[in-house]
Amino acid sequence: MTAVLLTLVLVVAAAPCRAQAEEYWPEGPEIASPSAVVMEVNTGTVLYAKNSHEQLYPASITKIMTALLAIENCKLDETVVFSKDAVYKNEGNTSHIARDYNELMTMEECLFAVLLMSANECAYAVAEHVGEKLGGDYRTFIDLMNARAKELGCENTHFNNCNGLPDEEHVVSAHDMAVIASEAYRNETFRIISGTTTYTIPPTNKHEDPTYCYNHHRMIYPWKGERKYLWEYATGGKTGYTNAAKNTLVTYAEKDGLTLVCVVMRADAPDHYQDTRTLLDYCFENFHAMNILENETRLESGNLENTGILNDNGAFVSLDQNAYIVMPRAAEFLDAAYELRKFDNTDDSMARLTYTYHERMVGQAEIVATKATVERDRFYQPEVVPELPPDDVRVIELKPEMIALALLALVVVVLCVYFGKKLYDNFYVIRHRREVRRIQKERFKVKEIKKRYRKRDRMFR
């Protein structure tokens, strides 16, 4: 397999990479929002950016990270207990659903309240629950948020709370938020919750009546009866607002094989919705997905296979058949340059092809081991490898000479038994005959004696 990969490296290195004299990237639209970015979720390709690395206050789109960490560390049926801090520090003039001290809700119910109703006290209770489960407290969860952001490659992010309430040390860039939002959207549970329009929280130990939740994202649900922003391609998202942050908005949309996330920050109303729709329309109209396996022809000389005149085996490695790149509609697949990176780990992924265009990363494909079996050719002489016995079993190796001697000894024993039996039987026959002759002699002597006595008696008479 290593030899196959080395051959592939040589093939990729030797294959000519087509380069455009002038690479084309569509010019983005003008928007009112000070900071924005559109990213393709599965490839990480940035299709549009405006001041995307500037640190800004995120407001409630912070709750995307809060929900993701809760889903990754908890089960949905776990019971969340609302503390005094969760209730009294996060209600009042903030977004909440009026929970009470010592109220009990499941993690699932809390997450729907967090993502649909942007309930601050539910986010705080979730953070406390996860922190305590990890052996710490609320601050443990905040540290986890920052560690996860760093793990994802965020460079302009620092979380200082779990719900986005105003804090000078709580900042995120639009680009980092898109990275976090993309990671969250790849989680099926998050994807379902963030795209739900309505949800009902059943009665709890503190509330006799159910609590009705509605998605505040107006492109998904007509919150407060406003229907003009509804869009059929919007699949999820999260709203945010504080006086310091202004309007922040994360929106997911799927169309024509592309999954996009749009982040706008520090926007005035209704610019955050109008700009989001403008940017998403621009991206869907000007970009499209191109499957790598179906379009990549520069690797045909290697073909990712190990074949020969006498070899009809399948490929030992293959490209991810679902991988694609995102390119401007006016560009061709071969306009994208590629680079091969080999992995030294023991996972199935052996290497990765990374594609770039216009100095942007537009997609990548994993080269994975297929676990194909090798059929031996006609000249193959299998090597017999003896099986090792268990440690507590004593094995005696039997050689052919030993087997022959054992068989000879067995024949000798059989012959000895046979002739011994014959001799034993004949011994009794011979002794019987001797006894018969002895008895016959004695009888003869008796007759002779009787004859003498009779003869003598006749004489005396």
Side-chain angles (χ1 to χ4, degrees):
M1 189 172 293
T2 302
V4 172
L5 184 58
L6 290 175
T7 302
L8 176 62
V9 173
L10 294 176
V11 170
V12 173
C17 292
R18 177 179 174 181
Q20 286 283 94
E22 294 182 3
E23 293 181 335
Y24 167 75
W25 195 267
E27 184 178 354
E30 292 291 333
I31 60 172
S33 299
S35 178
V37 68
V38 180
M39 180 179 291
E40 208 285 324
V41 169
N42 297 312
T43 62
T45 305
V46 176
L47 305 182
Y48 174 89
K50 177 183 178 181
N51 299 325
S52 61
H53 295 287
E54 182 181 356
Q55 287 185 332
L56 297 169
Y57 299 133
S60 286
I61 59 176
T62 299
K63 298 183 177 81
I64 291 177
M65 176 64 93
T66 300
L68 174 61
L69 293 179
I71 293 170
E72 290 179 340
N73 291 279
C74 300
K75 296 181 180 178
L76 295 180
D77 59 355
E78 292 182 15
T79 300
V80 178
V81 182
F82 284 74
S83 67
K84 290 182 179 179
D85 286 345
V87 173
Y88 300 125
K89 287 184 177 181
N90 299 280
E91 291 193 354
N93 190 26
T94 71
S95 178
H96 61 86
I97 59 171
R99 297 297 93 175
D100 293 328
Y101 172 56
N102 275 338
E103 188 161 358
L104 305 179
M105 288 173 55
T106 66
M107 179 59 72
E108 176 184 310
E109 294 162 357
C110 288
L111 291 177
F112 273 101
V114 168
L115 292 177
L116 272 59
M117 298 289 286
S118 202
N120 289 314
E121 81 276 36
C122 292
Y124 197 98
V126 165
E128 283 188 323
H129 178 85
V130 176
E132 291 172 2
K133 185 175 181 179
L134 297 177
D137 52 15
Y138 175 75
R139 292 308 307 182
T140 302
F141 184 84
I142 305 305
D143 292 340
L144 180 63
M145 294 177 72
N146 288 307
R148 191 73 165 93
K150 184 177 181 180
E151 177 186 334
L152 293 173
C154 298
E155 298 179 350
N156 297 289
T157 294
H158 182 267
F159 292 111
N160 210 34
N161 61 59
C162 64
N163 44 31
L165 290 175
D167 189 321
E168 292 183 356
E169 297 182 11
H170 189 83
V171 291
V172 179
S173 69
H175 179 273
D176 288 355
M177 196 66 239
V179 171
I180 295 169
S182 296
E183 179 70 10
Y185 197 72
R186 287 190 283 268
N187 184 289
E188 183 180 7
T189 301
F190 177 90
R191 192 164 59 246
I192 292 172
I193 296 176
S194 69
T196 299
T197 55
T198 62
Y199 181 82
T200 301
I201 299 175
T204 68
N205 62 320
K206 297 291 184 177
H207 286 81
E208 296 180 356
D209 299 323
T211 303
Y212 300 101
C213 299
Y214 307 93
N215 200 318
H216 287 191
H217 198 303
R218 286 172 169 80
M219 297 180 73
I220 301 170
Y221 180 79
W223 173 241
K224 295 184 178 180
E226 196 167 19
R227 308 184 65 89
K228 63 180 179 180
Y229 298 116
L230 288 176
W231 194 37
E232 60 180 320
Y233 300 112
T235 58
K238 182 71 190 75
T239 60
Y241 177 81
T242 64
N243 291 333
K246 293 189 176 182
N247 290 283
T248 60
L249 187 67
V250 174
T251 307
Y252 300 105
E254 297 181 14
K255 183 182 178 183
D256 298 335
L258 291 178
T259 302
L260 305 182
V261 58
C262 178
V263 180
V264 294
M265 300 186 70
R266 198 166 175 72
D268 294 321
D271 293 341
H272 54 315
Y273 283 112
Q274 294 174 352
D275 289 348
T276 293
R277 178 63 185 272
T278 298
L279 290 175
L280 290 173
D281 281 336
Y282 150 78
C283 291
F284 283 129
E285 290 172 2
N286 289 277
F287 299 91
H288 65 146
M290 305 183 75
N291 184 276
I292 295 176
L293 193 60
E294 295 175 359
N295 292 278
E296 182 57 81
T297 59
R298 290 165 289 189
L299 304 179
E300 283 187 351
S301 58
N303 203 28
L304 299 179
E305 296 184 0
N306 181 27
T307 58
I309 297 176
L310 300 176
N311 188 6
D312 57 357
N313 297 316
F316 293 111
V317 293
S318 67
L319 286 172
D320 180 2
Q321 56 184 328
N322 297 318
Y324 59 87
I325 65 174
V326 180
M327 294 285 285
R329 292 187 180 273
E332 298 180 5
F333 182 90
L334 297 181
D335 293 333
Y338 58 82
E339 180 182 0
L340 179 69
R341 178 187 175 190
K342 179 183 174 183
F343 297 143
D344 295 327
N345 56 26
T346 57
D347 297 336
D348 289 340
S349 181
M350 302 176 63
R352 176 183 296 145
L353 280 173
T354 301
Y355 289 82
T356 56
Y357 176 80
H358 203 272
E359 299 181 352
R360 302 167 186 251
M361 195 276 288
V362 293
Q364 56 191 15
E366 301 293 329
I367 299 177
V368 297
T370 62
K371 300 181 180 179
T373 57
V374 180
E375 295 182 4
R376 301 300 186 184
D377 60 43
R378 72 189 76 172
F379 304 110
Y380 176 71
Q381 298 270 342
E383 180 183 357
V384 179
V385 180
E387 294 185 2
L388 296 177
D391 295 337
D392 57 345
V393 177
R394 183 180 179 185
V395 177
I396 300 176
E397 184 179 1
L398 295 179
K399 296 182 179 179
E401 298 83 354
M402 296 178 63
I403 297 176
L405 291 175
L407 291 175
L408 180 60
L410 180 62
V411 171
V412 171
V413 170
V414 171
L415 291 176
C416 290
V417 171
Y418 176 78
F419 287 108
K421 181 69 165 55
K422 284 287 187 180
L423 181 61
Y424 180 77
D425 293 340
N426 291 334
F427 173 76
Y428 278 97
V429 171
I430 294 172
R431 191 174 66 174
H432 177 69
R433 288 176 179 176
R434 287 179 180 178
E435 185 68 19
V436 169
R437 285 197 296 269
R438 185 184 65 79
I439 293 173
Q440 288 177 347
K441 287 181 180 180
E442 288 181 353
R443 287 178 179 177
F444 180 78
K445 288 181 180 180
V446 170
K447 286 181 179 181
E448 288 295 322
I449 293 172
K450 285 182 178 180
K451 284 180 179 180
R452 290 176 186 173
Y453 277 106
R454 283 197 296 269
K455 185 177 180 181
R456 191 183 62 178
D457 288 343
R458 282 195 300 268
M459 290 176 65
F460 283 107
R461 287 177 189 159

